[in-house]
Amino acid sequence: MATISLCLIAKNEETVLARCLESVQGLFDETIIVDTGSIDSTQKIAARYTSKLYSFPWNSDFAAARNFSFSKATQEYIFWMDADDVFKVSHMADFLSWKEKNFQNADMIYLPYYTAWDDAGKPLVSFDRERIVRNHAGFSWEGRVHETLTHPHPEKITKLRLDIPIFHYSVKTTYSDRNLLIYKKQLAEGETLSLRDTFYYARELLYHENWDQAIHYFTT
């Protein structure tokens, strides 16, 4: 049977963290929570679920925080989540069955990610995400924002997709300029945006009604 570390980064997530952690009880062999500067009760809530609670000074770099969380994992596989994600109990037995089968020895496992729903509760937005990776196998996070898991030799890793969705239930009522400011900081420091970052930067500009700049980066 595979052993799995849950790795989660959080900042001021007191309204959703317990919901997330309650939803995954019985699935993982350890839980790593990295707090990036909460001033609410996030750390107090986290401490109810794990003793492996760490602090990481926020430096406007999500990949750095996630890589730090991965560095603390001790199990064979790593499963990452956000604090406002939920694992549905209806999929627990299936997940445990795949865990029993050691995920067919795959290096990277993709799961569907549901992020928006219609009035009837049916998913409107769903896409596959790299959700589980083998620990100490060369995987790392890249990207200050909208970070993604990478591997130095992607052609050599084995992959598996499971039809076990993760549900993203954000409770935020406003869209902040956090991501936009991170990209602007990145540009101000002379860094070149990757194609992926260019798209997401253009999208942030669009969300904040910077029309001309958004068009420029969408067409660059």
Side-chain angles (χ1 to χ4, degrees):
M1 176 186 290
T3 59
I4 314 176
S5 302
L6 171 64
C7 286
L8 185 150
I9 63 173
K11 182 178 181 180
N12 296 330
E13 298 287 5
E14 64 181 5
T15 60
V16 294
L17 182 58
R19 181 187 67 183
C20 173
L21 297 175
E22 286 291 337
S23 78
V24 298
Q25 293 301 293
L27 295 181
F28 305 118
D29 300 278
E30 72 173 354
T31 298
I32 309 294
I33 298 179
V34 172
D35 185 85
T36 60
S38 297
I39 57 174
D40 64 1
S41 60
T42 293
Q43 292 195 36
K44 183 178 179 180
I45 294 169
R48 299 205 304 258
Y49 294 88
T50 182
S51 61
K52 297 185 177 182
L53 175 60
Y54 303 90
S55 294
F56 183 82
W58 177 241
N59 61 352
S60 299
D61 188 333
F62 281 95
R66 291 202 192 276
N67 283 327
F68 178 78
S69 73
F70 273 31
S71 75
K72 301 300 181 181
T74 65
Q75 304 301 303
E76 181 182 1
Y77 283 94
I78 301 176
F79 188 115
W80 70 271
M81 292 180 77
D82 287 332
D84 47 5
D85 291 340
V86 171
F87 191 105
K88 292 297 183 71
V89 66
S90 56
H91 297 284
M92 186 172 291
D94 195 16
F95 182 83
L96 290 174
S97 175
W98 280 103
K99 183 182 179 184
E100 182 73 31
K101 291 183 285 190
N102 207 47
F103 302 114
Q104 296 181 342
N105 291 313
D107 299 310
M108 175 181 279
I109 298 98
Y110 289 80
L111 303 185
Y113 200 23
Y114 294 170
T115 60
W117 299 264
D118 62 18
D119 293 338
K122 295 181 179 179
L124 288 174
V125 179
S126 172
F127 53 95
D128 289 350
R129 284 229 58 178
E130 61 283 15
R131 183 64 61 177
I132 311 168
V133 294
R134 189 182 298 278
N135 198 6
H136 306 303
F139 293 99
S140 63
W141 290 92
E142 290 185 2
R144 296 193 191 191
V145 189
H146 297 294
E147 64 281 9
T148 185
L149 275 164
T150 64
H151 192 276
H153 302 289
E155 73 283 357
K156 295 182 179 180
I157 64 175
T158 56
K159 300 176 182 179
L160 175 69
R161 182 191 183 276
L162 304 180
D163 192 19
I164 301 174
I166 300 299
F167 294 76
H168 184 72
Y169 290 129
S170 177
V171 298
K172 296 179 174 65
T173 57
T174 59
Y175 192 82
S176 77
D177 61 355
R178 178 199 62 194
N179 293 349
L180 181 64
L181 294 177
I182 291 174
Y183 281 127
K184 286 183 177 294
K185 182 176 185 287
Q186 189 171 349
L187 288 169
E189 293 176 353
E191 292 190 30
T192 300
L193 297 181
S194 66
L195 287 176
R196 176 185 173 88
D197 284 339
T198 298
F199 166 77
Y200 280 115
Y201 179 46
R203 199 176 71 168
E204 291 296 326
L205 291 166
L206 176 66
Y207 289 166
H208 291 89
E209 301 183 357
N210 295 324
W211 313 120
D212 291 341
Q213 289 188 63
I215 291 171
H216 169 74
Y217 280 96
F218 271 129
T219 57
T220 297

PDB file of all heavy atoms in Angstrom, residues 82-109:
ATOM      1  N   ASP A  82      -5.493  22.888  -1.645  1.00  0.00           N
ATOM      2  CA  ASP A  82      -5.642  24.227  -1.100  1.00  0.00           C
ATOM      3  C   ASP A  82      -6.640  24.167   0.048  1.00  0.00           C
ATOM      4  O   ASP A  82      -7.458  23.243   0.138  1.00  0.00           O
ATOM      5  CB  ASP A  82      -6.137  25.204  -2.168  1.00  0.00           C
ATOM      6  CG  ASP A  82      -5.062  25.543  -3.179  1.00  0.00           C
ATOM      7  OD1 ASP A  82      -3.868  25.488  -2.816  1.00  0.00           O
ATOM      8  OD2 ASP A  82      -5.403  25.869  -4.327  1.00  0.00           O
ATOM      9  N   ALA A  83      -6.593  25.183   0.896  1.00  0.00           N
ATOM     10  CA  ALA A  83      -7.446  25.170   2.084  1.00  0.00           C
ATOM     11  C   ALA A  83      -8.930  25.218   1.744  1.00  0.00           C
ATOM     12  O   ALA A  83      -9.762  24.758   2.529  1.00  0.00           O
ATOM     13  CB  ALA A  83      -7.086  26.339   3.000  1.00  0.00           C
ATOM     14  N   ASP A  84      -9.277  25.758   0.583  1.00  0.00           N
ATOM     15  CA  ASP A  84     -10.690  25.826   0.208  1.00  0.00           C
ATOM     16  C   ASP A  84     -11.096  24.704  -0.749  1.00  0.00           C
ATOM     17  O   ASP A  84     -12.103  24.793  -1.445  1.00  0.00           O
ATOM     18  CB  ASP A  84     -11.060  27.192  -0.383  1.00  0.00           C
ATOM     19  CG  ASP A  84     -10.082  27.692  -1.424  1.00  0.00           C
ATOM     20  OD1 ASP A  84      -9.149  26.952  -1.778  1.00  0.00           O
ATOM     21  OD2 ASP A  84     -10.256  28.844  -1.876  1.00  0.00           O
ATOM     22  N   ASP A  85     -10.295  23.626  -0.766  1.00  0.00           N
ATOM     23  CA  ASP A  85     -10.653  22.423  -1.507  1.00  0.00           C
ATOM     24  C   ASP A  85     -11.347  21.425  -0.587  1.00  0.00           C
ATOM     25  O   ASP A  85     -11.145  21.442   0.638  1.00  0.00           O
ATOM     26  CB  ASP A  85      -9.409  21.758  -2.104  1.00  0.00           C
ATOM     27  CG  ASP A  85      -8.777  22.560  -3.220  1.00  0.00           C
ATOM     28  OD1 ASP A  85      -9.480  23.418  -3.801  1.00  0.00           O
ATOM     29  OD2 ASP A  85      -7.588  22.336  -3.510  1.00  0.00           O
ATOM     30  N   VAL A  86     -12.111  20.533  -1.198  1.00  0.00           N
ATOM     31  CA  VAL A  86     -12.843  19.517  -0.440  1.00  0.00           C
ATOM     32  C   VAL A  86     -12.756  18.185  -1.169  1.00  0.00           C
ATOM     33  O   VAL A  86     -12.863  18.118  -2.402  1.00  0.00           O
ATOM     34  CB  VAL A  86     -14.326  19.917  -0.265  1.00  0.00           C
ATOM     35  CG1 VAL A  86     -15.134  18.764   0.324  1.00  0.00           C
ATOM     36  CG2 VAL A  86     -14.444  21.153   0.622  1.00  0.00           C
ATOM     37  N   PHE A  87     -12.555  17.123  -0.411  1.00  0.00           N
ATOM     38  CA  PHE A  87     -12.599  15.749  -0.919  1.00  0.00           C
ATOM     39  C   PHE A  87     -13.934  15.162  -0.496  1.00  0.00           C
ATOM     40  O   PHE A  87     -14.252  15.148   0.695  1.00  0.00           O
ATOM     41  CB  PHE A  87     -11.433  14.943  -0.345  1.00  0.00           C
ATOM     42  CG  PHE A  87     -11.217  13.611  -0.997  1.00  0.00           C
ATOM     43  CD1 PHE A  87     -10.158  13.427  -1.868  1.00  0.00           C
ATOM     44  CD2 PHE A  87     -12.059  12.534  -0.748  1.00  0.00           C
ATOM     45  CE1 PHE A  87      -9.937  12.197  -2.481  1.00  0.00           C
ATOM     46  CE2 PHE A  87     -11.862  11.316  -1.352  1.00  0.00           C
ATOM     47  CZ  PHE A  87     -10.793  11.140  -2.227  1.00  0.00           C
ATOM     48  N   LYS A  88     -14.712  14.655  -1.462  1.00  0.00           N
ATOM     49  CA  LYS A  88     -16.046  14.148  -1.147  1.00  0.00           C
ATOM     50  C   LYS A  88     -15.983  12.716  -0.617  1.00  0.00           C
ATOM     51  O   LYS A  88     -15.258  11.866  -1.151  1.00  0.00           O
ATOM     52  CB  LYS A  88     -16.945  14.209  -2.388  1.00  0.00           C
ATOM     53  CG  LYS A  88     -17.290  15.620  -2.831  1.00  0.00           C
ATOM     54  CD  LYS A  88     -18.089  16.345  -1.749  1.00  0.00           C
ATOM     55  CE  LYS A  88     -18.520  17.733  -2.181  1.00  0.00           C
ATOM     56  NZ  LYS A  88     -19.570  17.732  -3.194  1.00  0.00           N
ATOM     57  N   VAL A  89     -16.754  12.447   0.407  1.00  0.00           N
ATOM     58  CA  VAL A  89     -16.741  11.134   1.043  1.00  0.00           C
ATOM     59  C   VAL A  89     -17.155  10.039   0.061  1.00  0.00           C
ATOM     60  O   VAL A  89     -16.733   8.880   0.197  1.00  0.00           O
ATOM     61  CB  VAL A  89     -17.653  11.143   2.293  1.00  0.00           C
ATOM     62  CG1 VAL A  89     -19.114  11.336   1.898  1.00  0.00           C
ATOM     63  CG2 VAL A  89     -17.457   9.880   3.121  1.00  0.00           C
ATOM     64  N   SER A  90     -17.948  10.386  -0.937  1.00  0.00           N
ATOM     65  CA  SER A  90     -18.403   9.393  -1.902  1.00  0.00           C
ATOM     66  C   SER A  90     -17.256   8.812  -2.737  1.00  0.00           C
ATOM     67  O   SER A  90     -17.410   7.755  -3.361  1.00  0.00           O
ATOM     68  CB  SER A  90     -19.446  10.007  -2.840  1.00  0.00           C
ATOM     69  OG  SER A  90     -18.930  11.157  -3.491  1.00  0.00           O
ATOM     70  N   HIS A  91     -16.116   9.485  -2.761  1.00  0.00           N
ATOM     71  CA  HIS A  91     -14.967   9.013  -3.533  1.00  0.00           C
ATOM     72  C   HIS A  91     -13.885   8.385  -2.645  1.00  0.00           C
ATOM     73  O   HIS A  91     -12.843   7.977  -3.145  1.00  0.00           O
ATOM     74  CB  HIS A  91     -14.357  10.164  -4.331  1.00  0.00           C
ATOM     75  CG  HIS A  91     -15.283  10.733  -5.352  1.00  0.00           C
ATOM     76  ND1 HIS A  91     -15.563  10.105  -6.538  1.00  0.00           N
ATOM     77  CD2 HIS A  91     -16.012  11.880  -5.352  1.00  0.00           C
ATOM     78  CE1 HIS A  91     -16.415  10.838  -7.239  1.00  0.00           C
ATOM     79  NE2 HIS A  91     -16.703  11.905  -6.548  1.00  0.00           N
ATOM     80  N   MET A  92     -14.147   8.321  -1.359  1.00  0.00           N
ATOM     81  CA  MET A  92     -13.112   7.859  -0.440  1.00  0.00           C
ATOM     82  C   MET A  92     -12.746   6.401  -0.670  1.00  0.00           C
ATOM     83  O   MET A  92     -11.557   6.040  -0.713  1.00  0.00           O
ATOM     84  CB  MET A  92     -13.561   8.080   1.003  1.00  0.00           C
ATOM     85  CG  MET A  92     -12.487   7.771   2.031  1.00  0.00           C
ATOM     86  SD  MET A  92     -12.965   8.260   3.718  1.00  0.00           S
ATOM     87  CE  MET A  92     -12.933  10.041   3.565  1.00  0.00           C
ATOM     88  N   ALA A  93     -13.729   5.547  -0.835  1.00  0.00           N
ATOM     89  CA  ALA A  93     -13.450   4.116  -1.013  1.00  0.00           C
ATOM     90  C   ALA A  93     -12.637   3.873  -2.277  1.00  0.00           C
ATOM     91  O   ALA A  93     -11.707   3.050  -2.278  1.00  0.00           O
ATOM     92  CB  ALA A  93     -14.753   3.329  -1.053  1.00  0.00           C
ATOM     93  N   ASP A  94     -12.978   4.578  -3.342  1.00  0.00           N
ATOM     94  CA  ASP A  94     -12.236   4.428  -4.591  1.00  0.00           C
ATOM     95  C   ASP A  94     -10.787   4.868  -4.416  1.00  0.00           C
ATOM     96  O   ASP A  94      -9.854   4.204  -4.883  1.00  0.00           O
ATOM     97  CB  ASP A  94     -12.919   5.262  -5.681  1.00  0.00           C
ATOM     98  CG  ASP A  94     -12.442   4.885  -7.080  1.00  0.00           C
ATOM     99  OD1 ASP A  94     -11.841   3.819  -7.243  1.00  0.00           O
ATOM    100  OD2 ASP A  94     -12.684   5.688  -8.006  1.00  0.00           O
ATOM    101  N   PHE A  95     -10.600   5.987  -3.729  1.00  0.00           N
ATOM    102  CA  PHE A  95      -9.241   6.477  -3.511  1.00  0.00           C
ATOM    103  C   PHE A  95      -8.432   5.483  -2.679  1.00  0.00           C
ATOM    104  O   PHE A  95      -7.278   5.178  -3.006  1.00  0.00           O
ATOM    105  CB  PHE A  95      -9.278   7.828  -2.812  1.00  0.00           C
ATOM    106  CG  PHE A  95      -7.916   8.425  -2.582  1.00  0.00           C
ATOM    107  CD1 PHE A  95      -7.275   9.130  -3.589  1.00  0.00           C
ATOM    108  CD2 PHE A  95      -7.261   8.271  -1.365  1.00  0.00           C
ATOM    109  CE1 PHE A  95      -6.011   9.676  -3.391  1.00  0.00           C
ATOM    110  CE2 PHE A  95      -5.999   8.808  -1.162  1.00  0.00           C
ATOM    111  CZ  PHE A  95      -5.379   9.506  -2.178  1.00  0.00           C
ATOM    112  N   LEU A  96      -9.019   4.973  -1.624  1.00  0.00           N
ATOM    113  CA  LEU A  96      -8.312   4.020  -0.772  1.00  0.00           C
ATOM    114  C   LEU A  96      -7.982   2.735  -1.529  1.00  0.00           C
ATOM    115  O   LEU A  96      -6.956   2.100  -1.274  1.00  0.00           O
ATOM    116  CB  LEU A  96      -9.133   3.723   0.477  1.00  0.00           C
ATOM    117  CG  LEU A  96      -9.248   4.887   1.478  1.00  0.00           C
ATOM    118  CD1 LEU A  96     -10.207   4.520   2.605  1.00  0.00           C
ATOM    119  CD2 LEU A  96      -7.884   5.269   2.037  1.00  0.00           C
ATOM    120  N   SER A  97      -8.844   2.358  -2.470  1.00  0.00           N
ATOM    121  CA  SER A  97      -8.575   1.189  -3.287  1.00  0.00           C
ATOM    122  C   SER A  97      -7.343   1.412  -4.160  1.00  0.00           C
ATOM    123  O   SER A  97      -6.485   0.524  -4.280  1.00  0.00           O
ATOM    124  CB  SER A  97      -9.780   0.881  -4.180  1.00  0.00           C
ATOM    125  OG  SER A  97      -9.505  -0.188  -5.067  1.00  0.00           O
ATOM    126  N   TRP A  98      -7.221   2.600  -4.763  1.00  0.00           N
ATOM    127  CA  TRP A  98      -6.040   2.911  -5.562  1.00  0.00           C
ATOM    128  C   TRP A  98      -4.791   3.033  -4.691  1.00  0.00           C
ATOM    129  O   TRP A  98      -3.691   2.661  -5.094  1.00  0.00           O
ATOM    130  CB  TRP A  98      -6.264   4.203  -6.348  1.00  0.00           C
ATOM    131  CG  TRP A  98      -7.072   3.977  -7.583  1.00  0.00           C
ATOM    132  CD1 TRP A  98      -8.391   4.263  -7.776  1.00  0.00           C
ATOM    133  CD2 TRP A  98      -6.612   3.388  -8.797  1.00  0.00           C
ATOM    134  NE1 TRP A  98      -8.789   3.895  -9.032  1.00  0.00           N
ATOM    135  CE2 TRP A  98      -7.714   3.363  -9.691  1.00  0.00           C
ATOM    136  CE3 TRP A  98      -5.386   2.880  -9.231  1.00  0.00           C
ATOM    137  CZ2 TRP A  98      -7.612   2.849 -10.979  1.00  0.00           C
ATOM    138  CZ3 TRP A  98      -5.275   2.372 -10.513  1.00  0.00           C
ATOM    139  CH2 TRP A  98      -6.381   2.355 -11.375  1.00  0.00           C
ATOM    140  N   LYS A  99      -4.977   3.533  -3.493  1.00  0.00           N
ATOM    141  CA  LYS A  99      -3.857   3.599  -2.559  1.00  0.00           C
ATOM    142  C   LYS A  99      -3.373   2.192  -2.224  1.00  0.00           C
ATOM    143  O   LYS A  99      -2.159   1.931  -2.155  1.00  0.00           O
ATOM    144  CB  LYS A  99      -4.280   4.336  -1.291  1.00  0.00           C
ATOM    145  CG  LYS A  99      -3.172   4.521  -0.272  1.00  0.00           C
ATOM    146  CD  LYS A  99      -3.681   5.222   0.991  1.00  0.00           C
ATOM    147  CE  LYS A  99      -2.567   5.369   2.018  1.00  0.00           C
ATOM    148  NZ  LYS A  99      -3.029   5.947   3.289  1.00  0.00           N
ATOM    149  N   GLU A 100      -4.306   1.286  -2.037  1.00  0.00           N
ATOM    150  CA  GLU A 100      -3.970  -0.110  -1.760  1.00  0.00           C
ATOM    151  C   GLU A 100      -3.176  -0.716  -2.911  1.00  0.00           C
ATOM    152  O   GLU A 100      -2.265  -1.525  -2.711  1.00  0.00           O
ATOM    153  CB  GLU A 100      -5.254  -0.913  -1.522  1.00  0.00           C
ATOM    154  CG  GLU A 100      -5.027  -2.369  -1.167  1.00  0.00           C
ATOM    155  CD  GLU A 100      -4.507  -2.572   0.236  1.00  0.00           C
ATOM    156  OE1 GLU A 100      -4.840  -1.754   1.113  1.00  0.00           O
ATOM    157  OE2 GLU A 100      -3.752  -3.550   0.445  1.00  0.00           O
ATOM    158  N   LYS A 101      -3.507  -0.279  -4.145  1.00  0.00           N
ATOM    159  CA  LYS A 101      -2.816  -0.781  -5.338  1.00  0.00           C
ATOM    160  C   LYS A 101      -1.556   0.020  -5.657  1.00  0.00           C
ATOM    161  O   LYS A 101      -0.965  -0.157  -6.726  1.00  0.00           O
ATOM    162  CB  LYS A 101      -3.770  -0.759  -6.528  1.00  0.00           C
ATOM    163  CG  LYS A 101      -4.904  -1.772  -6.428  1.00  0.00           C
ATOM    164  CD  LYS A 101      -5.791  -1.762  -7.648  1.00  0.00           C
ATOM    165  CE  LYS A 101      -6.705  -0.559  -7.683  1.00  0.00           C
ATOM    166  NZ  LYS A 101      -7.737  -0.677  -8.754  1.00  0.00           N
ATOM    167  N   ASN A 102      -1.167   0.893  -4.732  1.00  0.00           N
ATOM    168  CA  ASN A 102       0.059   1.681  -4.889  1.00  0.00           C
ATOM    169  C   ASN A 102       0.036   2.530  -6.162  1.00  0.00           C
ATOM    170  O   ASN A 102       1.071   2.829  -6.752  1.00  0.00           O
ATOM    171  CB  ASN A 102       1.301   0.784  -4.905  1.00  0.00           C
ATOM    172  CG  ASN A 102       2.539   1.508  -4.411  1.00  0.00           C
ATOM    173  OD1 ASN A 102       2.509   2.173  -3.375  1.00  0.00           O
ATOM    174  ND2 ASN A 102       3.634   1.396  -5.152  1.00  0.00           N
ATOM    175  N   PHE A 103      -1.195   2.940  -6.558  1.00  0.00           N
ATOM    176  CA  PHE A 103      -1.371   3.775  -7.753  1.00  0.00           C
ATOM    177  C   PHE A 103      -0.647   3.194  -8.975  1.00  0.00           C
ATOM    178  O   PHE A 103      -0.150   3.928  -9.830  1.00  0.00           O
ATOM    179  CB  PHE A 103      -0.892   5.207  -7.490  1.00  0.00           C
ATOM    180  CG  PHE A 103      -1.592   5.872  -6.352  1.00  0.00           C
ATOM    181  CD1 PHE A 103      -0.898   6.207  -5.186  1.00  0.00           C
ATOM    182  CD2 PHE A 103      -2.942   6.160  -6.416  1.00  0.00           C
ATOM    183  CE1 PHE A 103      -1.550   6.820  -4.121  1.00  0.00           C
ATOM    184  CE2 PHE A 103      -3.604   6.780  -5.349  1.00  0.00           C
ATOM    185  CZ  PHE A 103      -2.905   7.111  -4.200  1.00  0.00           C
ATOM    186  N   GLN A 104      -0.601   1.872  -9.030  1.00  0.00           N
ATOM    187  CA  GLN A 104       0.058   1.170 -10.143  1.00  0.00           C
ATOM    188  C   GLN A 104       1.503   1.647 -10.349  1.00  0.00           C
ATOM    189  O   GLN A 104       2.023   1.619 -11.455  1.00  0.00           O
ATOM    190  CB  GLN A 104      -0.744   1.320 -11.441  1.00  0.00           C
ATOM    191  CG  GLN A 104      -2.114   0.673 -11.384  1.00  0.00           C
ATOM    192  CD  GLN A 104      -2.884   0.800 -12.671  1.00  0.00           C
ATOM    193  OE1 GLN A 104      -2.580   1.633 -13.529  1.00  0.00           O
ATOM    194  NE2 GLN A 104      -3.912  -0.021 -12.818  1.00  0.00           N
ATOM    195  N   ASN A 105       2.114   2.106  -9.258  1.00  0.00           N
ATOM    196  CA  ASN A 105       3.506   2.574  -9.279  1.00  0.00           C
ATOM    197  C   ASN A 105       3.720   3.782 -10.185  1.00  0.00           C
ATOM    198  O   ASN A 105       4.852   4.042 -10.641  1.00  0.00           O
ATOM    199  CB  ASN A 105       4.459   1.444  -9.683  1.00  0.00           C
ATOM    200  CG  ASN A 105       4.554   0.374  -8.608  1.00  0.00           C
ATOM    201  OD1 ASN A 105       4.712   0.672  -7.425  1.00  0.00           O
ATOM    202  ND2 ASN A 105       4.436  -0.879  -9.022  1.00  0.00           N
ATOM    203  N   ALA A 106       2.673   4.530 -10.464  1.00  0.00           N
ATOM    204  CA  ALA A 106       2.798   5.740 -11.280  1.00  0.00           C
ATOM    205  C   ALA A 106       3.603   6.793 -10.522  1.00  0.00           C
ATOM    206  O   ALA A 106       3.608   6.839  -9.280  1.00  0.00           O
ATOM    207  CB  ALA A 106       1.423   6.281 -11.638  1.00  0.00           C
ATOM    208  N   ASP A 107       4.263   7.664 -11.273  1.00  0.00           N
ATOM    209  CA  ASP A 107       5.028   8.754 -10.669  1.00  0.00           C
ATOM    210  C   ASP A 107       4.172   9.996 -10.439  1.00  0.00           C
ATOM    211  O   ASP A 107       4.412  10.748  -9.501  1.00  0.00           O
ATOM    212  CB  ASP A 107       6.211   9.133 -11.559  1.00  0.00           C
ATOM    213  CG  ASP A 107       7.181   7.982 -11.757  1.00  0.00           C
ATOM    214  OD1 ASP A 107       7.580   7.376 -10.750  1.00  0.00           O
ATOM    215  OD2 ASP A 107       7.531   7.700 -12.921  1.00  0.00           O
ATOM    216  N   MET A 108       3.210  10.227 -11.320  1.00  0.00           N
ATOM    217  CA  MET A 108       2.353  11.400 -11.235  1.00  0.00           C
ATOM    218  C   MET A 108       0.913  10.984 -11.513  1.00  0.00           C
ATOM    219  O   MET A 108       0.640  10.288 -12.494  1.00  0.00           O
ATOM    220  CB  MET A 108       2.794  12.473 -12.236  1.00  0.00           C
ATOM    221  CG  MET A 108       1.875  13.683 -12.309  1.00  0.00           C
ATOM    222  SD  MET A 108       2.434  14.924 -13.531  1.00  0.00           S
ATOM    223  CE  MET A 108       3.704  15.767 -12.569  1.00  0.00           C
ATOM    224  N   ILE A 109       0.013  11.395 -10.638  1.00  0.00           N
ATOM    225  CA  ILE A 109      -1.397  11.025 -10.768  1.00  0.00           C
ATOM    226  C   ILE A 109      -2.234  12.284 -10.925  1.00  0.00           C
ATOM    227  O   ILE A 109      -2.119  13.228 -10.124  1.00  0.00           O
ATOM    228  CB  ILE A 109      -1.878  10.205  -9.553  1.00  0.00           C
ATOM    229  CG1 ILE A 109      -1.087   8.893  -9.459  1.00  0.00           C
ATOM    230  CG2 ILE A 109      -3.361   9.902  -9.664  1.00  0.00           C
ATOM    231  CD1 ILE A 109       0.078   8.931  -8.483  1.00  0.00           C
TER     232      ILE A 109
END
